[in-house]
Amino acid sequence: QVHLVESGGGLVQPGGSLRLSCVASGFTSRTYHMSWYRQAPGKERELVATIFSSDYTDYGNFVKGRFTISRDHAKNTVYLQMNNLLPEDTAVYYCNRRPVPADWGQGTQVTVSA
C-alpha cells in the first residue's frame, strides 16, 4: 500500500530554517518525480519544488533560492531544506509523486512567526 508521511515542520522565527522529510512506502520513489506542495489557510495548494527522476530540480518562483529539494534513494525519502523562512511560507506542506499521484498524506505544519 502506498503511503507518504511528512515530518519536520514546526514553529520558526522569520529568517530561520527547517528541514522537511517525506518517507515513501509501497513504491520506489526514485522511479517517480517527487514534489513538495503547500497549502496556506484559505488558499489553494501550490507546487513548491520538484525533483525529477533524473534528479533535475525545479522550484516555484517564490522560493528564490531559499529552498533545496533532495532525495535519499536508500531511505526512499525526499527532503525539503528551507532557509530564510518568511511569514508567507506558513502553510501545511505535503509531498506527492508525479505523474501518478498517491493519496495525500497528513502533511506537516510550518509556521513562521516572531
Side-chain angles (χ1 to χ4, degrees):
Q1 194 169 5
V2 174
H3 281 118
L4 297 164
V5 179
E6 302 93 345
S7 63
L11 173 63
V12 63
Q13 293 186 343
S17 298
L18 285 173
R19 188 194 194 204
L20 307 183
S21 299
C22 169
V23 179
S25 60
F27 70 100
T28 302
S29 61
R30 69 186 302 168
T31 63
Y32 287 82
H33 314 318
M34 295 296 296
S35 294
W36 282 96
Y37 301 79
R38 69 185 186 184
Q39 188 167 20
K43 295 187 176 181
E44 293 188 355
R45 189 171 292 166
E46 63 179 346
L47 180 63
V48 176
T50 298
I51 184 164
F52 292 86
S53 56
S54 63
D55 285 341
Y56 173 79
T57 58
D58 193 28
Y59 299 90
N61 289 335
F62 55 85
V63 170
K64 296 180 180 178
R66 300 181 297 125
F67 298 177
T68 303
I69 188 171
S70 62
R71 68 204 305 173
D72 185 327
H73 295 307
K75 295 182 178 180
N76 219 25
T77 299
V78 180
Y79 302 100
L80 185 68
Q81 176 68 45
M82 305 188 296
N83 299 325
N84 193 21
L85 283 160
L86 305 170
E88 48 264 44
D89 294 319
T90 295
V92 179
Y93 284 71
Y94 303 86
C95 67
N96 213 327
R97 66 184 191 185
R98 297 166 65 187
V100 180
D103 289 339
W104 293 96
Q106 83 287 352
T108 186
Q109 175 71 50
V110 172
T111 303
V112 185
S113 175

